Amino acid sequence: MAYALMIHPTDNVAVVTEAVRPGEDVLYEDANGGQVCLKAAGDVPVYHKIALRDIAPGEQVLKYGKTIGVATAPIAKGEHVHCHNIESPERKELI
Amino acid sequence: MEFYGYRRSDGRVGIRNHVLILPASICASDTAEMIARQVNGAVSFHNQVGCSQVPSDMQYALDMMAGLAANPNVYGTIVVAAGCETCQCGMVMDAIAARTNKPLHGLIIQKEGGTIRLIEKAVRLAREMAAEASTLRREKFPVSELILGTECGGSDPTSGIAANPVIGKVSDALVADGGTVILSETTEFIGAESILADRAKDEHVRRRILEIVERYEQHFIRNGENVRLGNPTPGNKEGGLSTLEEKSLGCIHKGGESVIQAVYDYAKPIPTDVKGLVIMDTPGNDASSIAGMLAGGAQIVVFSSGRGTPLGSPIAPVIKITGNDATFRMMEDNIDFNAAPVITEQKKPAQLGEALYKMVLDCCDGKLSKAEALGFTETAVMRACNYV
């Protein structure tokens, strides 16, 4: 059993607090304070991100309740989320 | 809340009492270091800039040099110049004199007849200055005299979850006590700029925040580059940060939740009557960001690092903090504060923030940070262009 931190209630990824092996159960606290168990779909190194639900290509990846990237491939629930399947969102002119 | 510091003739309050041997360019850097090595109480650093620069870069260099000399942790300064550099000795001295009336001398290698003759003269001047500095006694001051610089580097996901939120609590506490805190690293506002803009004191500050971020982006675009190809670094990615936007959203926690009062350009002086949380437009590069904040008048820096860094400054304590327990155990010789219990023991950032605030004030009173005790002096400067 491993643990993950869901930082914001709207996030679709969480940060694992120890290295996770494929098939391992990962426990995190959801937006309502309930304990949720998730099965890891692959290796997730310590402090890396795990998908809390399926994320479609082009969909926003949310951490801190904000967009940290966009999925470049289908990401299954429990999968490692990193540079291989997300990239920076397209930049917007600010002014 | 109070600390013990040194009142300077220009009214600012320092927490260290250094004599700065300031190289005006790379060509004077080794000479300056040789002088500093001879005199107890003197410090120096390698200055990579000061020559072969276009006007905008020359201005960054002059502001950095003048600001470090004017920093209240410095008792007095001896400028050492080669003689032919872009940042001429007289220009550096004028820039310093425009900011402070503290003791100041300048010597030029080409005029003194080479480095050996200059070193002889400079060591005598530095020895006298260090002796004068040593007669000062610390006095008690309110923490409203403090400017705290905040920095993060070698970040990993623990920086945004643990270390930076703990720094944020110290920022909020110091702001509540009447002090000033600088949030820096414009590159690492990218993706989080709207959160900061929403916290601006007024429309002018809101616009300035967006402007410095947009200008940073455009600077790279004009050069055919994308800032995201250099940031996050390989170490950030190995640690688990995937994008610059993710890194930024962790980075801005250092500023706590206070209202943003002002935005300052790189290495420009922060007026003593402006209190609260302010932003300085600095690069994500740690050594140049820290130099900019110190040039602005910060007496002390708190620096979070998930991966671990030894970086320090010749003139100020740089307190290192990590949220990564393994990094703390691996690099305890270099890291002052362990914020990992936020993750490993579910401690509240506020609880650890109290302990970090105490550590900051102890360092202000004279306790050496690890980077200071080990003699780290890395110093760099923001740059606009290549050398000419």
Side-chain angles (χ1 to χ4, degrees), chain B residues 19-176:
Chain B
V19 168
L20 177 62
I21 314 299
L22 177 63
S25 65
I26 183 74
C27 305
S29 286
D30 277 13
T31 308
E33 200 167 81
M34 288 171 197
I35 297 159
R37 231 181 276 145
Q38 277 281 299
V39 181
N40 195 0
V43 294
S44 189
F45 64 93
H46 264 249
N47 184 0
Q48 294 289 321
V49 294
C51 196
S52 320
Q53 295 187 291
V54 294
S56 57
D57 273 328
M58 191 182 89
Q59 193 59 50
Y60 289 144
L62 278 176
D63 284 331
M64 179 277 286
M65 287 191 263
L68 293 192
N71 184 288
N73 293 348
V74 171
Y75 172 82
T77 299
I78 298 172
V79 180
V80 180
C84 50
E85 57 265 89
T86 314
C87 291
Q88 291 275 294
C89 189
M91 292 165 66
V92 177
M93 291 178 74
D94 287 349
I96 296 169
R99 292 197 189 207
T100 182
N101 59 358
K102 293 186 295 187
L104 178 63
H105 296 287
L107 293 167
I108 299 168
I109 296 169
Q110 288 158 5
K111 286 202 177 145
E112 294 298 331
T115 60
I116 296 176
R117 290 193 183 94
L118 180 139
I119 289 169
E120 183 186 354
K121 211 180 216 179
V123 166
R124 287 210 176 89
L125 288 170
R127 179 185 54 72
E128 280 169 27
M129 218 184 253
E132 285 165 21
S134 70
T135 65
L136 295 190
R137 293 291 168 264
R138 286 181 184 265
E139 299 166 62
K140 201 186 262 191
F141 293 99
V143 294
S144 55
E145 296 280 358
L146 287 177
I147 302 178
L148 169 72
T150 65
E151 183 70 23
C152 55
S155 296
D156 76 2
T158 67
S159 301
I161 298 170
N164 292 342
V166 171
I167 294 176
K169 293 298 176 191
V170 176
S171 297
D172 287 340
L174 183 56
V175 166

Side-chain angles (χ1 to χ4, degrees), chain A residues 48-49 63 68 82 88 91, chain B residues 237-238 242-243 245-246:
Chain A
H48 283 231
K49 295 174 290 298
K63 181 179 170 188
I68 61 161
H82 199 27
S88 281
R91 70 173 295 277
Chain B
K237 288 179 183 171
E238 196 185 323
S242 309
T243 63
E245 289 75 11
E246 181 182 9

Side-chain angles (χ1 to χ4, degrees), chain A residues 1 3 5 10 12 14-16 18-19 21-23 27 35-36 38 44 49 62 65 77 79 82 89 91 93 95:
Chain A
M1 175 77 72
Y3 294 89
L5 292 168
T10 60
N12 52 14
V15 174
V16 299
E18 55 205 287
R21 290 186 313 280
L27 202 65
Q35 299 281 317
V36 181
L38 177 75
V44 186
K49 295 174 290 298
L62 300 170
K77 181 177 171 179
E79 212 177 301
H82 199 27
R91 70 173 295 277
E93 299 254 333
I95 302 162

Side-chain angles (χ1 to χ4, degrees), chain B residues 171-183:
Chain B
S171 297
D172 287 340
L174 183 56
V175 166
D177 287 339
T180 305
V181 176
I182 311 173
L183 180 63

